[in-house]
């Protein structure tokens, strides 16, 4: 008897197989050479390049200053000595574990690092040095996570984080969401994901059905830093989520040379609003080693928010936030 063929990969998984995974590949795809932009092969060796075809298609060929490219390009600045205060665990996560990959820093909210995988590698990522191999909650098939939620009724929100939780297959997610439906102490399910925008095909029918059946209110917090990330494909994926009743919020990171002007910020939040996404946080950079060249100082950040407030409705102005280890919440600065 012939062997059964392997199950077909979902379209989003096939798109991931076509992702750019090298510095040379990224430069070549955009018609750039190492003479156009000073890159760091050693940084690329330590935290590999990863860009989806969808995201690549939004970048301007031949433009080494493209604000989308700069989020993913290992530049030579990553290898320079970092200022004091920049380290590998910038927000002190190591001391906050309640189980494997389970972090509780704030009352009522449990954050599960479900996977180390992402669809893109952002150079400023505060978890770029996180020991994912040792710490993620998905490996144990969710038992530990579900047990913790069952025994601690104060945990009324489960935040799926990563990596990117939507890199898990629908089957893996179903194995969590089905038993979660029995837990009426958990009222909100929050998903922190870049995928609706960087890999819109991930918002497929199976996922939408799962979210539609969830017993909890579903909140999807996307991560968009620049208006040009939002094309019609991304907007359609966001609309599919919204049609399933998900509340959509955006958190961005304030990044020098990428989105640190009033115009870039106003355009970003306006465009998000048009896609049904409300403003949540604008994060000041976490001081992660290798990302110092992205830092914008707090005074300029506050001025940006004041300028945004003068031109946008309040619900499209993000809270400027910084994470200070040991505080009861993120610190809202403006
Ligand atoms: C940011 C974060 C949260 C969520 O905080 P909100 O202010 O509710 O968005 C929860 N847990 C951890 C560990 C976090 O880092
Ligand atoms: S966790 Fe988020 S910010 Fe970090 S690399 Fe993945 S997608 Fe980017």
């Amino acid at each position: 008897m012939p062997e059964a063929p392997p199950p077909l990969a979902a379209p989003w998984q096939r798109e991931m197989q076509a992702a750019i995974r090298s510095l040379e590949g990224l430069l070549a795809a955009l018609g750039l050479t190492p003479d156009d932009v000073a890159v760091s092969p050693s940084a690329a060796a330590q935290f590999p390049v990863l860009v989806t075809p969808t995201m690549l298609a939004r970048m301007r060929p031949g433009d080494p200053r493209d604000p989308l490219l700069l989020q993913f390009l290992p530049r030579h600045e990553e290898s320079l000595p970092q200022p004091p205060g920049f380290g590998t665990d910038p927000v002190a996560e190591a001391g906050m574990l309640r189980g494997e990959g389970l972090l509780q820093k704030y009352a009522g909210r449990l954050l599960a690092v479900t996977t180390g995988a992402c669809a893109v590698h952002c150079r400023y990522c505060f978890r770029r040095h996180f020991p994912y191999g040792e710490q993620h909650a998905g490996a144990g098939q969710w038992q530990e996570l579900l047990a913790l939620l069952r025994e601690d009724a104060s945990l009324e929100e489960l935040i799926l984080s990563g990596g990117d939780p939507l890199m898990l297959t629908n089957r893996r997610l179903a194995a969590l969401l089905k038993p979660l439906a029995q837990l009426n102490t958990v009222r909100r399910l929050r998903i922190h994901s870049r995928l609706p925008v960087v890999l819109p095909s991930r918002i497929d029918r199976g996922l939408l059905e799962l979210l539609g059946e969830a017993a909890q209110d579903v909140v999807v917090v996307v991560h968009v830093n620049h208006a040009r990330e939002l094309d019609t494909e991304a907007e359609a994926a966001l609309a599919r989520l919204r049609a399933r009743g998900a509340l959509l919020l955006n958190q961005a990171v304030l990044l020098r040379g990428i989105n640190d002007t009033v115009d870039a910020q106003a355009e970003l939040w306006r465009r998000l609003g048009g896609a049904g996404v409300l403003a949540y946080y604008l994060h000041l950079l976490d001081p992660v080693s290798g990302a110092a060249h992205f830092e914008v100082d707090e005074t300029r950040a506050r001025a940006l928010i004041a300028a945004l407030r003068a031109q946008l409705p309040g619900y499209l102005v993000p809270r400027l936030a910084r994470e200070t280890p040991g505080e009861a919440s993120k610190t809202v600065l403006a």
Side-chain angles (χ1 to χ4, degrees), residues 141-142 145-146 149-150 158 160 169-184 186 189 205-216 218:
Q141 304 295 327
W142 313 118
L145 169 59
L146 290 163
L149 292 172
R150 257 180 225 117
L158 172 61
L160 301 184
T169 61
N170 291 337
R171 224 166 93 195
R172 291 288 304 286
L173 289 169
L176 173 63
L177 297 203
K178 299 254 150 92
L180 198 64
Q182 313 301 315
L183 268 171
N184 55 17
V186 181
L189 173 67
R205 191 187 307 170
L207 177 67
L208 293 166
E209 277 167 11
L210 267 179
L211 296 180
E213 288 161 10
Q216 286 75 22
V218 175

Side-chain angles (χ1 to χ4, degrees), residues 90-104:
V91 293
E93 295 202 316
M96 300 295 168
L97 293 167
R98 287 201 62 179
E100 193 160 333
L102 303 177
L103 300 170
Q104 186 181 8

Side-chain angles (χ1 to χ4, degrees), residues 85-277:
F86 279 71
T88 56
D89 182 18
V91 293
E93 295 202 316
M96 300 295 168
L97 293 167
R98 287 201 62 179
E100 193 160 333
L102 303 177
L103 300 170
Q104 186 181 8
K105 283 192 205 164
Y106 309 133
R109 286 152 288 173
L110 182 70
L111 183 146
V113 175
T114 54
T115 168
C118 293
V120 290
H121 282 171
C122 317
R123 305 312 299 180
Y124 53 84
C125 180
F126 75 106
R127 294 217 178 99
R128 59 184 280 176
H129 306 281
F130 191 83
Y132 285 115
E134 302 145 41
Q135 288 295 343
H136 67 82
Q141 304 295 327
W142 313 118
Q143 281 96 333
E144 193 182 7
L145 169 59
L146 290 163
L148 182 56
L149 292 172
R150 257 180 225 117
E151 90 204 11
D152 184 347
S154 78
L155 297 172
E156 57 175 45
E157 178 164 351
L158 172 61
I159 304 175
L160 301 184
S161 181
D164 198 307
L166 294 185
M167 290 299 281
L168 299 173
T169 61
N170 291 337
R171 224 166 93 195
R172 291 288 304 286
L173 289 169
L176 173 63
L177 297 203
K178 299 254 150 92
L180 198 64
Q182 313 301 315
L183 268 171
N184 55 17
T185 50
V186 181
R187 298 172 186 206
R188 290 179 302 279
L189 173 67
R190 188 193 321 185
I191 299 174
H192 282 178
S193 178
R194 256 198 117 151
L195 266 54
V197 173
V198 303
L199 189 70
S201 57
R202 175 65 189 95
I203 311 305
D204 59 14
R205 191 187 307 170
L207 177 67
L208 293 166
E209 277 167 11
L210 267 179
L211 296 180
E213 288 161 10
Q216 286 75 22
D217 290 331
V218 175
V219 183
V220 177
V221 183
V222 294
H223 171 180
V224 184
N225 294 319
H226 194 281
R228 279 196 17 241
E229 293 171 46
L230 292 168
D231 57 9
T232 50
E233 234 187 306
E235 285 170 347
L238 293 166
R240 292 198 289 282
L241 287 167
R242 216 149 61 100
R244 288 289 158 147
L247 173 65
L248 303 184
L249 304 171
N250 184 54
Q251 54 181 344
V253 181
L254 184 56
L255 299 165
R256 198 203 304 166
I258 292 175
N259 60 10
D260 59 338
T261 64
V262 176
D263 285 350
Q265 286 290 327
E267 186 57 20
L268 169 65
W269 300 101
R270 198 177 267 127
R271 188 89 198 244
L272 284 161
V277 183

